[in-house]
Each structure stands twice: as structure tokens, then as C-alpha cells.
Amino acid sequence: MNVWGGRANPGRSFAMENLDQLQDDLLSQVEEADLAALEELRVSALGKSGTITEMVKGIGQLSPEDRREAGQKLNTVKKGVAEAIDARKAVLEAAALDASLADDRVDLTLPVRPESQGRIHPISQTIDEMVAIFCEMGFTVAEGPHIESDFNNFTALNIPPEHPARQDHDTFYLPADENGERKVLRTHTSPVQIRTMITEKPPIRIVVPGRTFRADHDATHSPMFHQIEGLVIDEETHMGHLKGCLIEFCRAFFDVDDLPVRFRPSYFPFTEPSAEVDIGCSREGGGLTIGRSENSSAEDWLEILGCGMVNPHVLKNCGIDSTKYQGFAFGLGIERAAMLKYGIPDLRTFYDSDIRWLSHYGFDRLEVPNVAEGLVR
Ligand code: PHE
């Protein structure tokens, strides 16, 4: 017995009829099949020991005259059956998808489950707001590590060893390594100025939000806090750019168009000249309002950031030609800005992880800050 119909040397017409019949049978079975039956059919006809596969293997037993014709015919049958299976499968799958879409309708108008509503921490929100403002001005965001070399945190910023300015920063030192070098937890975000100036060519325009550390702990100081640093280096950058940039920033951040902004001379080793920036506020009846009120006798100022033109020594320490390039830098505390803007009275509450505090002062996940919509709730 062989797959060609039980005859060792079948007549031509018999073999061809057999094939026609086989094709008709298979095609009508395909038309009836569901997805599972279709797969069975594919295996039993076209699989490793399927009917058609066996016939292909058996072709050698035919007479030489029949072999050619049977071979061609068999190929046509094989192709036809395979195509029919694929086509039927596509139809069935599309129907199954339609059915499941109709069944599993998702109601997009249902409210979010209350238990899955997280809140954005005011520190994250404030960083996002500040970054949105500076990015609008053409700054990009840079970051650096919390553990810094003494060089990046101090020396390159024109604060040499034994310089009294080092004592202003209550530094956390790590144990000395085998070369006697003591790494520090960065005391400010300014070392990222150094990292950027060493690795990138001017023009530079970066803001650096991040964590900073000082061994200081009381009602208004935390050993870990956040700063945002800014650095601009270009060929014709001057104090006017610094002032314009920071006045614009303060007004956008506090959302007060005519917010008074004052630059007070100050000192930082890494900037020259240096200034501290104050914003106008009014204190009436124990309350604090950012901006000016009607009552001019309640006018006051609040210090908000430090800034200055980058000291040429710092440019030199980073291999930047200080006769060709100048720039400005600034740094401010995130917590303090958030406390002022959102009326948060106690610094320590930022780190208590109290869910009631967060649901009061936190922000909706979908309220992503952007300058076009304004940055105030
Ligand atoms: N790094 C300074 C600080 O922590 C702030 C600052 C940054 C001042 C850049 C001037 C320029 O107090």
C-alpha cells in the first residue's frame, strides 16, 4: 500500500483524480473548521507525516511520466491548501478579536481607584517647575554624583585647602582612600559646574537639580537638602544676562509678574562679582505674601539665591580660556523656595514621609508643570 492509492504503478488519471479529490476534501474541511480544527487539519495534511507530505515523499514510486505532472499538481495542491488555511485562520482570528473587543469593553470614563492615587512630593514638583522655566530659556539638565572629590567640591571652585570658606560648609567626609584622598558628600551642586566645564565645550547652559549634604540639623537646616545650580558660559555673557535670567525666573516661579527682585553684593569664592538675590514680600498680621501689597509699610525682602559671574580662576581650573569666555552661575535651595511658594511652615516635615502631609501638600500626578499653563495650582 502506498499513499498514491494502493497501486504500485497507478495509472495517470487515477493519481490526478486522487489529488483533485484530496484537494476538494481538504478545502471543504478548511471552510468548516474552527481555529483548533484548523490547526489539526494543518498538521494532518501538511505536517511532518501529513497526507500531502507523505505523498511528496512517495512521488519517487510513480512512473517517470507521472512523476512530473504529479509533482507539479501536488505543489499546487499543497500551496492551495496552505493558503486556504492561512486565509481561514486570518478570518477566524479577526472574528475572535472583534468578539473579545465587544466583550471586554473598557469604560474609560470610570474614575481612578482612590487607593491608587499617589501624590507628587513638593520637592519633586518644585524641581520640575524650576526645570520647566529654565528649559524654556534654553537650559538643559545636568546631574552629578552625591559623593564628590574634594577637588570638584572645593579646590576647582577656588576654595583651596585651609581656606576659611571650607569651614562655612559643614562637610561630611568619607574615610581616606589608599592615596589619602578624602571624598566628600557634596555640600552644594556647584561641583557639577566643574564636571561640565571639564567635559564640555562652551557654549554651556545647564541647570543641575539634586541632593546636597551638610552636617547641620535644626529647625531650619537638614543634613540632606536639595539645590538647583545654574551655569552659563559663552563668549559675550555679562551681568545683564545674569540679572535678566534670574529676574525672569523669580517672576515665573512665584507667578508674580511685577515681583520686585533685588541684587545685593555678596561673596562666593567661585564667582566675581557675587550677589545675593532677594524677592519682595509683605508681612502683614503675621502672614507672609510674596510680592508687594497695598500697604507699603509692610514691605520686606526675602533672600532666595546666590549668584555671580564665574570667577576666571574657576574657568582656568577647568581648562577654559578666560580671555575668550565668561559666564554666570547661580544656586538656590529647593526646600526654601517650595516653603515660600506653597506656605509649608516646617522644613523637617519634608522628610517625615507622613502620608497625611503628602496628601495635603503633594501634587496630582497629572499636573505636570509647564510654562504655558502657568506653574501655580
Ligand atoms: N554654591 C553656593 C551655595 O551653596 C550657591 C552659589 C552657586 C552661589 C553658584 C553662586 C553661584 O551656597
Side-chain angles (χ1 to χ4, degrees):
M1 213 23 202
N2 73 52
V3 288
W4 286 95
R7 300 201 296 184
N9 191 7
R12 178 181 169 277
S13 58
F14 182 83
M16 295 310 126
E17 268 165 29
N18 246 6
L19 275 178
D20 286 338
Q21 185 59 44
L22 180 67
Q23 181 169 24
D24 290 348
D25 285 353
L26 285 173
L27 291 182
S28 61
Q29 284 174 48
V30 166
E31 282 317 303
E32 306 284 288
D34 62 11
L35 274 171
L38 206 58
E39 180 57 14
E40 275 169 29
L41 211 57
R42 194 189 60 74
V43 174
S44 76
L46 306 170
K48 250 205 208 129
S49 36
T51 342
I52 295 181
T53 318
E54 289 297 325
M55 291 177 109
V56 174
K57 289 185 201 156
I59 257 178
Q61 300 168 1
L62 296 179
S63 67
E65 317 88 68
D66 283 352
R67 220 174 275 164
R68 209 178 113 85
E69 201 182 346
Q72 280 174 355
K73 177 78 182 166
L74 199 53
N75 261 336
T76 318
V77 174
K78 194 173 154 187
K79 214 171 139 232
V81 171
E83 281 172 1
I85 291 178
D86 285 348
R88 173 86 182 142
K89 196 169 168 210
V91 170
L92 290 173
E93 280 176 348
L97 181 62
D98 283 347
S100 86
L101 285 178
D103 275 0
D104 318 338
R105 270 254 295 284
V106 177
D107 185 351
L108 296 174
T109 64
L110 283 176
V112 179
R113 292 219 171 98
E115 69 271 22
S116 68
Q117 259 178 354
R119 307 284 286 165
I120 302 291
H121 195 284
I123 291 178
S124 306
Q125 178 77 11
T126 303
I127 290 175
D128 288 351
E129 291 174 6
M130 291 178 172
V131 166
I133 296 168
F134 285 117
C135 287
E136 188 86 350
M137 296 183 195
F139 286 78
T140 53
V141 174
E143 285 183 315
H146 297 157
I147 297 177
E148 259 301 358
S149 64
D150 184 278
F151 178 81
N152 287 343
N153 195 81
F154 292 121
T155 313
L157 286 161
N158 200 34
I159 318 175
E162 313 310 330
H163 191 281
R166 286 201 182 207
Q167 269 74 67
D168 296 346
H169 296 204
D170 301 285
T171 313
F172 285 113
Y173 284 95
L174 275 72
D177 63 17
E178 58 277 15
N179 308 318
E181 199 208 331
R182 282 204 299 171
K183 294 256 204 257
V184 301
L185 290 184
R186 66 179 181 190
T187 57
H188 48 180
T189 40
S190 305
V192 186
Q193 287 190 33
I194 303 302
R195 290 177 171 272
T196 307
M197 286 191 278
I198 288 176
T199 54
E200 279 169 38
K201 287 198 168 29
I204 292 171
R205 227 179 271 154
I206 53 155
V207 282
V208 185
R211 280 190 189 158
T212 49
F213 307 84
R214 290 184 201 179
D216 214 351
H217 201 186
D218 59 35
T220 54
H221 294 90
S222 150
M224 188 280 301
F225 58 104
H226 297 75
Q227 289 189 333
I228 187 165
E229 186 88 10
L231 174 70
V232 172
I233 305 287
D234 209 336
E235 286 183 33
E236 284 168 33
T237 310
H238 53 68
M239 195 85 185
H241 295 123
L242 175 155
K243 290 185 75 178
C245 171
L246 292 177
I247 293 172
E248 182 60 33
F249 163 74
C250 291
R251 292 181 175 168
F253 178 72
F254 291 104
D255 203 34
V256 178
D257 289 346
D258 58 353
L259 181 67
V261 179
R262 163 175 98 170
F263 290 75
R264 219 171 359 93
S266 183
Y267 172 78
F268 298 103
F270 32 92
T271 49
E272 181 61 34
S274 303
E276 248 146 340
V277 177
D278 301 335
I279 55 169
C281 64
S282 31
R283 295 178 200 270
E284 270 165 305
L288 175 78
T289 314
I290 305 292
R292 289 289 184 243
S293 73
E294 306 298 303
N295 181 358
S296 60
S297 70
E299 281 179 12
D300 203 351
W301 295 96
L302 275 172
E303 182 196 318
I304 146 124
L305 59 87
C307 63
M309 300 305 293
V310 176
N311 191 314
H313 290 305
V314 176
L315 295 173
K316 271 179 226 145
N317 292 341
C318 299
I320 291 182
D321 181 354
S322 62
T323 61
K324 188 168 172 207
Y325 293 103
Q326 328 76 50
F328 64 86
F330 54 88
L332 72 142
I334 305 283
E335 282 84 345
R336 185 172 157 73
M339 287 167 81
L340 289 172
K341 181 168 176 179
Y342 294 114
I344 302 173
D346 187 343
L347 172 75
R348 289 167 294 193
T349 58
F350 277 99
Y351 320 109
D352 283 345
S353 299
D354 185 332
I355 209 81
R356 294 162 303 176
W357 183 88
L358 193 59
S359 54
H360 181 76
Y361 287 111
F363 293 81
D364 194 287
R365 292 158 302 160
L366 301 176
E367 273 176 41
V368 180
N370 76 74
V371 174
E373 282 184 24
L375 295 168
V376 178
R377 281 195 273 191

